[in-house]
Amino acid sequence: WNQNASRRSPAGIGEPNRIEPGREAELDRVLALYAQSDLVVSSALHGCIVAAAMGRPVLAVSGDRKIDAFMQV
């Protein structure tokens, strides 16, 4: 478990939720990981949204009301 890695954006670059110009391939790489996953485990709302939008099963690990509400849909 790398606690620092969990605080970075999924692509591991730039500020959270930001892809630096010229690093668009990182987004493609991350989306490919979602597409290849049998199950996405996420404690972030955006992770749940991306997985659901890609038709991947999601296990949400959260006590956040927004994630709970999203997962009820």
Side-chain angles (χ1 to χ4, degrees):
W1 166 254
N2 183 339
Q3 188 174 23
N4 290 330
S6 67
R7 292 187 177 151
R8 288 181 274 164
S9 66
I13 58 173
E15 297 298 318
N17 299 318
R18 179 175 174 190
I19 303 258
E20 299 291 331
R23 304 288 302 264
E24 293 83 2
E26 292 295 316
L27 177 59
D28 292 336
R29 182 184 65 79
V30 171
L31 291 176
L33 290 173
Y34 275 93
Q36 296 168 9
S37 298
D38 294 324
L39 174 69
V40 175
V41 179
S42 182
S43 62
L45 179 59
H46 288 101
C48 295
I49 292 170
V50 170
M54 296 183 79
R56 308 314 308 155
V58 181
L59 175 61
V61 182
S62 173
D64 184 281
R65 64 179 175 78
K66 293 183 290 185
I67 295 173
D68 293 344
F70 176 78
M71 294 303 292
Q72 294 296 319
V73 174

